[in-house]
Each structure stands twice: as structure tokens, then as C-alpha cells.
Amino acid sequence: MMLGMELSDVMRTTGAVRRFTDDPLPDGALGRILDNARFAPTGGNRQGTHVIVVRDGDTRQALADLSVTGARRYTAQVKNGEFPWNPVKPMKVSPQEVAATEAGPYTPFIYCGAVLVVCVDLNVCAAFDQNLDRIGLIAGASVYPFVWNILLAARNEGFGGVLATVTVAEEPRVKELLGIPEDYAVAALLPIGRPVKQIRKLTRKPVSEFATRDRFDGEPFRA
């Protein structure tokens, strides 16, 4: 157990973990992870999130298999030099080329201690961008702080995971598999387990490369 880490250390070392040991993820540790994560903010404090803790091996295999649809298009677009699943630029790969692309199941779901399927009740989301002529993002404010809190809390316990979304391309089948109500959205699937290797350092852009003063094209922000 890795309790008592400094917040800045947790934030700087919570990377994407996709390879896990055979160590179990005890209910006690997972309970602490969720108990801390629940304090994430949500719009109006409506707390419309629901977590399905999937330990059953057959169900985790089914979730992995359902990832193939999204992975196939992802792989085909990457091979074609595109940013995959881009909501702005039309896909240049034909449906026939996508169908012919080899892609396997998302194996972290199979080998982790548990998959956390995080859903959000769309009845309590304030999607202020719903009438804009672009892909919707704002409703995610009611769920993704909670998702990230799970990953931070897992890191603090000596576990790890990754925010996986590739399976959501088959959301109707995921809902049928897990009995998720129609008015809930699947926001993330988090495989959680003991990392094969604990991440000690992450590489990110410096602040001055992504923060500007007063305008998007303003001077780089430097403290």
C-alpha cells in the first residue's frame, strides 16, 4: 500500500497502466479508491455517476472483444497517417479497408484485477454545448473529474489503470451486456490492477507551451 504520497507526486506519476501483475485487487483497496474518488465535483453536486465493478472473467473477455470495432478503425486510420476517430476531419479510409484491418481485443481488460465501467446519468448533465455545431464535450464535466480521481486514488494505493474508451464504439452492446439503462452513457472503462512497473516519471510539455496570457494567441504564460 502506498498511502501518504504527496499530492504533487501522485499527479506527476499517474500514468497509463496497461500491463498488470497477477496480484489481486482486494475489495478493501478498491473500496478506499472509490471512497476517495467520490469527492470529485459534479454539476450542481448531482452526483450522477454509477460504477460497475466487473470481476467476472467471461464478462471482462466480452468487453475486450467489443473493443475490436473501435480498434479496427483506429488502427486503419493510424496506418493511413490520420488522427483516428477525429471528430473534425472526415475519415479517409474506406469502410472496406477498415473491415479488412486486423485488430485484437483490448487485453488490459482480461489481465487486470477488475474493470470499472463508469456511467453517467444523462438526465442530470448540463450540456451547455448541445446546440453548437461541433461534437459535445461539456457533459463530460459531470463524470471525468470522478474518473480521474479513481486513477489518482489507485496510484496512491499502489495500483494503476488507464482511461479506456475504445469499447464505447459498441455502447449499445455494452449496455445490453451489463444491463445499463438507456438514459445512461458509458463514459469510461478503467482496467485497474497492480502495475508490472510503477511509473516514476512522466514526460509532458512545459507550461509555457500550452498556456497563454489573455488570448489564445497571447504571450506564453511563464510564472
Side-chain angles (χ1 to χ4, degrees):
M1 186 184 302
M2 299 180 63
L3 298 177
M5 292 179 67
E6 291 290 335
L7 176 61
S8 60
D9 291 335
V10 175
M11 294 173 68
R12 287 170 178 260
T13 60
T14 301
V17 175
R18 299 180 178 88
R19 296 180 63 235
F20 306 97
T21 69
D22 294 332
D23 294 351
L25 172 61
D27 280 352
L30 184 52
R32 289 191 297 273
I33 289 169
L34 294 174
D35 190 42
N36 284 321
R38 66 193 172 98
F39 287 94
T42 60
N45 196 29
R46 296 184 181 93
Q47 303 176 58
T49 52
H50 183 96
V51 179
I52 305 169
V53 179
V54 182
R55 292 193 184 273
D56 178 74
D58 290 341
T59 305
R60 287 190 286 127
Q61 180 67 61
L63 290 172
D65 292 340
L66 287 173
S67 72
V68 172
T69 298
R72 186 175 284 126
R73 172 174 162 178
Y74 187 101
T75 303
Q77 288 190 272
V78 169
K79 287 182 177 179
N80 197 45
E82 302 176 45
F83 289 107
W85 287 91
N86 188 298
V88 177
K89 298 179 180 179
M91 181 174 66
K92 297 179 182 178
V93 182
S94 71
Q96 293 76 18
E97 289 173 310
V98 171
T101 300
E102 293 290 331
Y106 193 70
T107 56
F109 292 161
I110 302 170
Y111 299 112
C112 64
V115 178
L116 308 185
V117 181
V118 183
C119 310
V120 61
D121 184 355
L122 295 175
N123 293 296
V124 301
C125 291
F128 289 103
D129 59 350
Q130 61 185 268
N131 295 323
L132 299 182
D133 188 22
R134 62 160 173 78
I135 196 77
L137 292 173
I138 299 303
S142 291
V143 59
Y144 288 116
F146 173 68
V147 170
W148 186 236
N149 261 13
I150 291 175
L151 293 172
L152 291 175
R155 170 68 178 122
N156 193 58
E157 292 279 342
F159 294 94
V162 62
L163 200 174
T165 54
V166 63
T167 313
V168 182
E170 289 280 13
E171 185 183 70
R173 295 172 68 184
V174 174
K175 285 185 172 183
E176 182 180 2
L177 175 69
L178 301 178
I180 300 171
E182 181 61 32
D183 48 0
Y184 276 71
V186 179
L189 295 90
L190 309 176
I192 304 291
R194 185 80 66 185
V196 169
K197 182 179 180 180
Q198 291 284 1
I199 296 174
R200 301 299 179 189
K201 183 179 180 181
L202 297 172
T203 302
R204 297 290 187 267
K205 295 177 181 179
V207 172
S208 60
E209 286 193 19
F210 64 81
T212 54
R213 293 186 183 274
D214 297 320
R215 291 174 49 86
F216 192 96
D217 58 354
E219 291 294 320
F221 177 85
R222 292 185 175 90

